[in-house]
Structures are given as structure tokens and as C-alpha cells.
Amino acid sequence: MRHRRCLPRRPGCGLCRPALHRALDGLDVTDIPALARRAAEARRIVYEATGHAPLRAAIIGAYRRLRQESGAEPALAVRSSATAEDLPDASFAGQHESFLNIRGEEALVEACRRCCASLFTDRAVVYRANNGFDHFKVALSVGVMRMVRADLAASGVIFTLDTESGFRDVVYVTGSYGLGENVVQGKVDPDEFHVHKPTFRAGYRSVLRRALGRKQTRLVYAGPGAAEPTIDLPTPEAERDRFCISDEEVLSSPRRP
């Protein structure tokens, strides 16, 4: 997050840091009205601090290079990534903002600013307080990536170990219809697959365990002129009752598990 001529790695700088301390110091996160008010103030401070011309020019310049490489206006995923995410004893997944199907310069700049401000969502503030993280020692970056049309098929997350036990000899694959954000955010119960690494390496290409998820909704691109760039639709029952990807597709993902 940048304010005027500095680009710090951590939230708040110059005039921003004292303002953020005033907003957050001494906050009792069990006081819900105070939490909502003071976290919103912290987000406002960061949002305003990221609205200056040099940062805007840098974002737009990078976007124009990407558009030139693409040969057309690409659909973009604008994602938050914080330093305290996915630790062995803590996980911030889903507590900061991400924006999908972002198109055009103004929408991209806005999404980047909102990602930066999301370092202080109510959920993130509470989680840090409850787990002993200093609000001012957590940094956040914004990743911008071209999207593929996963909303027309299925997507999900691959883990190189079993997330429940920590067992490292399996690849754990989750999947659901549409864009993968619903899986990441925990909004749907995805299909689950386990591939045993030693068995796979020995040439036995089989999924050793699978579980059918409910896959309640499907996140897809919204049409032109829609209020939001994506929309959540109910998954038809017939599709919920079958796996979103085949065993062959599962095994094509972990090429070298």
C-alpha cells in the first residue's frame, strides 16, 4: 500500500499509520458495533491511501502491456495475498477480498484498491486478534491474473498433502462447477478425491478415495451490463448428483505428485 512517495511493505505509512493506530488500538473485537465501525474506518484509510496518481499509473501501465500480449481485453482475477495466510497454525483464506471477471482500466484500479483495503475486513481483524497477530506486522499484496473460462466447466483446489492429517503421501483434489472462488471461500461442499503418490508413481493410475459433494451453487460470469461481474446460480440436481470431473481428469492434474 502506497502513500504519496513511499511504498511500504506493511499497512500504514506516514500519516496513515497513526490514523490506523487510532482506528484499531484497544479495539475489543467482541464489541460487534465497535468492530464494524473501526474496521470500516481502517479500510477507508487504506482505500484513500492507494488512490494516488503514481500507483494508478503503474497499475494501468501493467494492464496495457497485458492487454497488448493478449490481443484483446482480458478478463482478470484480482486477488489478495497476505503474509500470514496458510501458516501451519493459522489460515486467513477467504478473509481478504478477491474480484473476478474484472475488465477495463477503471475496474482494475478499483479492484486493486479494494483488495488492499480488505486487509482490514471485520473477519480478518477478528482472526488476527484472536490468534495473536499484530495488525501492523501483516503485509498484503495484490496479484492480477488472466482468467480462463472455468465457469463453463469445473475448477477447484489441489493440495499436496492430506489437509486433515498432514499425511504427505497423497494428493488431495477438491472440485466444483464454475469458478473456483466458491471452493476457496468455503461456500460450497466440493467433490473430494485422494490420489496415493507412491501408487501413482508405480503406474497404478487410480483414485483411491472419492466423496461426492453437494456443489450447491455455480459461480459464473455475469452478462453485459450486470451490476456485478459474476453471479451465483443454483446447481441443477442432476449435476449435483454426479462428480464434476472424471477420474481421468483428476489424475491428469497431479502429473508428478
Side-chain angles (χ1 to χ4, degrees):
M1 287 166 284
R2 185 172 177 176
H3 181 71
R4 296 183 181 178
R5 295 184 180 180
C6 56
L7 184 58
R9 294 180 179 275
R10 295 190 173 89
C13 62
L15 298 175
C16 301
R17 181 174 288 272
L20 285 170
H21 274 289
R22 287 193 296 272
L24 297 172
D25 286 355
L27 172 62
D28 177 3
V29 295
T30 65
D31 184 341
I32 303 305
L35 168 67
R37 182 177 66 255
R38 294 172 68 175
E41 173 63 10
R43 293 193 296 273
R44 183 195 65 79
I45 293 166
V46 176
Y47 181 84
E48 291 186 359
T50 53
H52 56 84
L55 181 58
R56 175 186 172 84
I59 294 171
I60 291 176
Y63 170 75
R64 289 176 178 174
R65 290 193 296 272
L66 180 62
R67 185 174 59 189
Q68 186 174 20
E69 293 172 5
S70 303
E73 183 175 86
L76 301 173
V78 184
R79 296 191 173 279
S80 303
S81 180
T83 53
E85 291 180 341
D86 299 322
L87 299 176
D89 56 352
S91 174
F92 284 79
Q95 298 187 28
H96 307 117
E97 297 289 353
S98 288
F99 301 94
L100 306 178
N101 193 24
I102 298 301
R103 299 172 186 268
E105 295 175 359
E106 294 302 323
L108 175 58
V109 171
E110 176 69 9
C112 288
R113 294 178 68 187
R114 290 172 66 186
C115 277
C116 289
S118 75
L119 189 59
F120 297 105
T121 63
D122 295 8
R123 289 180 62 197
V125 170
V126 171
Y127 195 84
R128 288 197 294 268
N130 289 342
N131 287 276
F133 288 93
D134 187 331
H135 296 303
F136 296 90
K137 291 184 179 179
V138 176
L140 182 143
S141 63
V142 179
V144 177
M145 299 165 283
R146 282 181 290 186
M147 294 185 65
V148 296
R149 291 301 304 267
D151 63 314
L152 302 177
S155 57
V157 180
I158 295 177
F159 300 90
T160 57
L161 50 69
D162 181 74
T163 56
E164 294 295 325
S165 66
F167 182 56
R168 293 186 173 275
D169 275 352
V170 297
V171 172
Y172 172 48
V173 180
T174 63
S176 188
Y177 298 112
L179 301 173
E181 197 68 11
N182 278 355
V183 177
V184 174
Q185 297 280 350
K187 294 181 178 179
V188 297
D189 300 316
D191 295 336
E192 300 177 353
F193 310 87
H194 284 83
V195 178
H196 188 236
K197 297 177 186 178
T199 303
F200 184 91
R201 293 193 186 105
Y204 299 99
R205 298 177 59 82
S206 62
V207 176
L208 298 186
R209 180 181 179 275
R210 63 183 63 76
L212 186 68
R214 292 189 292 168
K215 305 181 291 294
Q216 297 92 323
T217 59
R218 178 200 305 261
L219 188 65
V220 300
Y221 285 10
E228 297 293 335
T230 58
I231 185 173
D232 234 351
L233 301 175
T235 304
E237 186 174 354
E239 295 184 1
R240 293 176 58 180
D241 289 342
R242 65 173 183 262
F243 289 102
C244 66
I245 55 176
S246 66
D247 282 8
E248 182 179 355
E249 289 169 322
V250 172
L251 294 167
S252 69
S253 301
R255 295 185 184 277
R256 294 183 60 86

